[in-house]
Amino acid sequence: NFHQTSTTLNTINNRMSLLISVFFISQLITSTLSCRAVYFEGVPIAPLDVCGPGYNIYMGEFSQVWTCWNSTTVVEELYEGKNCDGELASAQIIYNASTYTFDCNNDNLCEYAMVREYLATSCTDEGSYEDIPVGINHCSVRPNGTSIKNICTETAIEEYIYDTNDCSGNHKSREILYQNGDCGEEYNNYYKISMCGDFRIDGEQSKGNRNGFGTYIGLLMIIALIMG
């Protein structure tokens, strides 16, 4: 009996050690995501809680933000006014955890540039538009040991690819992600860099990070619907 009890305790201890190891590995993986964003294969593709202003020719100024609804869903919230602090007009799911990784609660907010996307399908810089954030200056390591980093200028956002695993040295190649005058392949939208560093296309700084305010508003709306 003593032998069986000892064996059982050893098995439990081994399993607990394994669970603790998995927990710490999980925490380590999470902590390597260095800013609050949606990630795809370790690359931050969509900074979270960043307010992007917009304009609609029929309704006037509006703003949009991507924010975590819960641990498995990121929504795009649309607000009246340009600072994401007006009335919440709508919310729709834009990312889910089946394909992407979310880092919702990171205190480190992503560095970002803004791209102005004109909504007309005629590829002109007129009429309705929205400003969308793009992560920059974050070095991401690929599975093959190379690394990539997005860098912005007043006219383009480019992805630089390095042979090293820390974005050091000279880049071996680069690819233009957005540049002024580009037309989207799918909808033929016109793109223009609207913010990069100190540069602002409108001469004023955008509202910027919101620290999850939209999630709070969305939760209050759900509670109101349930109570009603």
Side-chain angles (χ1 to χ4, degrees):
N1 291 338
F2 176 81
H3 177 72
Q4 289 178 342
T5 302
S6 178
T7 302
T8 301
L9 288 175
N10 287 336
T11 301
I12 293 173
N13 287 335
N14 289 337
R15 288 178 178 175
M16 287 298 295
S17 297
L18 177 61
L19 288 173
I20 291 171
S21 296
V22 170
F23 173 78
F24 279 112
I25 290 172
S26 174
Q27 294 299 102
L28 179 61
I29 292 172
T30 301
S31 69
T32 61
L33 304 181
S34 63
C35 67
R36 193 185 306 170
V38 175
Y39 286 77
F40 181 71
E41 296 182 348
V43 179
I45 62 169
L48 294 173
D49 300 321
V50 175
C51 183
Y55 176 78
N56 183 283
I57 59 175
Y58 301 107
M59 301 175 62
E61 292 182 336
F62 72 94
S63 48
Q64 60 85 25
V65 64
W66 300 326
T67 192
C68 289
W69 181 257
N70 53 37
S71 61
T72 62
T73 306
V74 167
V75 296
E76 179 186 56
E77 297 177 338
L78 297 180
Y79 290 84
E80 296 179 4
K82 65 179 181 178
N83 293 326
C84 296
D85 56 6
E87 183 176 351
L88 179 62
S90 67
Q92 62 177 340
I93 295 173
I94 190 168
Y95 295 105
N96 61 70
S98 63
T99 305
Y100 303 93
T101 302
F102 306 147
D103 194 358
C104 300
N105 301 312
N106 199 318
D107 291 333
N108 296 321
L109 301 174
C110 296
E111 288 190 63
Y112 64 92
M114 285 283 189
V115 176
R116 180 157 298 178
E117 177 185 11
Y118 289 85
L119 305 181
T121 57
S122 55
C123 195
T124 57
D125 57 344
E126 299 177 343
S128 303
Y129 66 82
E130 63 178 358
D131 284 10
I132 56 176
V134 178
I136 58 171
N137 300 331
H138 173 88
C139 183
S140 302
V141 182
R142 288 174 155 181
N144 62 4
T146 62
S147 54
I148 60 176
K149 179 168 63 175
N150 295 341
I151 297 175
C152 72
T153 67
E154 295 181 9
T155 59
I157 297 176
E158 297 178 276
E159 179 187 78
Y160 284 72
I161 302 175
Y162 301 82
D163 280 326
T164 60
N165 63 1
D166 59 359
C167 299
S168 62
N170 296 324
H171 63 275
K172 70 173 184 177
S173 63
R174 63 182 184 178
E175 178 183 351
I176 295 175
L177 302 180
Y178 298 96
Q179 69 177 352
N180 291 353
D182 269 353
C183 298
E185 294 180 1
E186 187 173 1
Y187 299 112
N188 202 36
N189 305 108
Y190 187 97
Y191 293 105
K192 184 185 292 185
I193 307 303
S194 58
M195 188 189 87
C196 173
D198 294 330
F199 167 74
R200 304 290 186 275
I201 192 173
D202 298 323
E204 62 180 52
Q205 188 167 356
S206 65
K207 178 71 173 181
N209 297 292
R210 300 171 55 257
N211 296 316
F213 175 76
T215 302
Y216 174 71
I217 294 296
L219 182 60
L220 288 182
M221 290 181 65
I222 288 180
I223 293 173
L225 287 172
I226 293 174
M227 297 297 291

